[in-house]
Amino acid sequence: MYDILVVGGGAAGFFAAINAAEKNKGLKIAILERGRDVLQKVKVSGGGRCNVTHACFEPEKLVKFYPRGENELLDPFKRFNPTNTIEWFESRGVKIKKEADGRMFPVSDSSQSIIDCLLGAAQRNRIEILTNSRVEHFDYLPTEKSNWKLQVAGDRVLYSKKLMIATGSDTAVWALLERLKVKIIEPVPSLFTFNIKDTRLADLMGLSVPNAIITIQKTNFESNGPTLITHWGLSGPGILKLSAWAARELNAANYQFKIKVNWLANKDTEAVRTHLHNQINAQPKKNVVANAEFGLPIRLWKSLCNAAQIGEFQKWAETGKKHIQRLTEQLTACSFEVNGKSTFKEEFVTAGGVDLSELDFETYSLKQYPSLFMAGEVLNIDAITGGFNFQAAWTGGWIAAQNL
């Protein structure tokens, strides 16, 4: 018999359990984890450094990084945001630093600092951690002593007054929730790279541009950011952001679609065309292919010149309007066919989960089951990369704890 059972030993689950225990020392709390180890996503995130949160401290701006959950998260972020996250960890001995792109990591550059902090806090607050404890079934059976009955692997039965679900993207748990008439939005992948086989990208793996604009043709979806050429196509923050915003539409298209890339995000088509035309008079004897313009990596420049049918030894004086037009197009509206996606397992994020209309965001409990709480990726909330998914987990866990 427990006061609180938390299903899921990840960021949201631990944060909810610890903050509830610190608020009320008398509670009997346990965290149930189906695997052998807890906090596994914390361990691998950010390349093993743990991207704790992001240096975006205004709730109105912060919510713009969430393709799903933007409207619902505004008030929660006013109650617990990156400032509070940093203070929470630093008050427990984990210093947090900001990197140039706004991502925030422990000063140690090791996710183990975050794991040790959470495990230590759980231990100090006498929270039981039950690993290898897959929940096979749970029922809402309100009595004087408890509300929830859980059937756990190994024929164990646990009872609890309040139940917290923080299982992330777990289809088995979503199926159990559907039996309680909780509406689930069908999950689809988010945050993935684009598979592209194109001669223009061949042998360019590892090259990147600091800022490109990527547009999905025949849609309103557009993104910008650092873009990386890989051996399977295109990746980097610019691509990952786009995959998050268009996750459902790209799934519906079976990941077969066309994109346009402006490799020179800060320059429009006319400005680029004018610059190239000016080179004809300014540097008539200069070899076009051998001298990259606009600060592009030379190998990418050569590839785009080749696609524009500019000869290897061609000089600017020999470059006509058609060459200029084709090169301008390759630089600012480079069209690619995408055929499939690739997902890094440790960075896997799902769009989908418990319908947000089911949740009371004042308490992070379900409207139809006030003693059932949820936070993290079990909900239909997801963000782009940069620490935003963890921030949603910390916020949801903290608010749930105030009510647990």
Side-chain angles (χ1 to χ4, degrees), residues 46-184:
R49 296 196 297 148
C50 187
N51 187 180
V52 179
T53 186
H54 200 94
C56 181
F57 304 108
E58 296 176 39
E60 291 81 4
K61 291 182 180 178
L62 185 58
V63 294
K64 299 298 182 185
F65 294 96
Y66 295 81
R68 282 147 291 273
E70 176 182 343
N71 296 331
E72 291 82 1
L73 287 170
L74 181 58
D75 285 334
F77 282 156
K78 288 177 180 177
R79 297 170 64 189
F80 195 94
N81 58 48
T83 301
N84 306 108
T85 299
I86 295 161
E87 289 172 352
W88 195 94
F89 281 104
E90 293 199 336
S91 70
R92 290 159 178 79
V94 182
K95 295 292 181 188
I96 306 293
K97 64 176 180 177
K98 173 189 166 185
E99 300 206 335
D101 59 3
R103 292 183 302 160
M104 304 198 79
F105 295 88
V107 168
S108 66
D109 275 330
S110 172
S111 57
Q112 198 60 45
S113 300
I114 301 297
I115 292 170
D116 290 345
C117 175
L118 294 171
L119 288 175
Q123 188 176 23
R124 285 192 301 277
N125 287 285
R126 300 194 304 278
I127 296 167
E128 294 179 49
I129 300 173
L130 308 175
T131 55
N132 297 311
S133 297
R134 188 180 75 255
V135 175
E136 296 174 338
H137 195 74
F138 50 82
D139 289 301
Y140 180 58
L141 298 171
T143 67
E144 286 183 16
K145 292 184 178 179
S146 71
N147 285 310
W148 297 94
K149 176 186 177 183
L150 278 69
Q151 187 75 41
V152 183
D155 290 330
R156 287 176 290 166
V157 177
L158 306 178
Y159 294 89
S160 184
K161 292 176 184 174
K162 292 179 180 176
L163 180 61
M164 171 86 183
I165 305 291
T167 46
S169 304
D170 188 328
T171 51
V173 171
W174 283 329
L176 293 177
L177 288 167
E178 280 188 303
R179 294 178 63 176
L180 292 173
K181 307 296 185 206
V182 175
K183 185 181 178 184
I184 306 296

Side-chain angles (χ1 to χ4, degrees), residues 232-276:
W232 59 81
L234 291 176
S235 184
I239 295 290
L240 294 174
K241 270 197 289 185
L242 190 57
S243 78
W245 288 104
R248 293 211 163 273
E249 288 77 7
L250 297 184
N251 178 262
N254 199 27
Y255 306 105
Q256 314 286 317
F257 56 98
K258 290 183 179 180
I259 61 170
K260 275 189 179 177
V261 179
N262 180 348
W263 299 102
L264 313 170
N266 58 343
K267 296 187 184 299
D268 64 26
T269 302
E270 277 311 308
V272 171
R273 185 184 288 112
T274 300
H275 176 89
L276 296 177

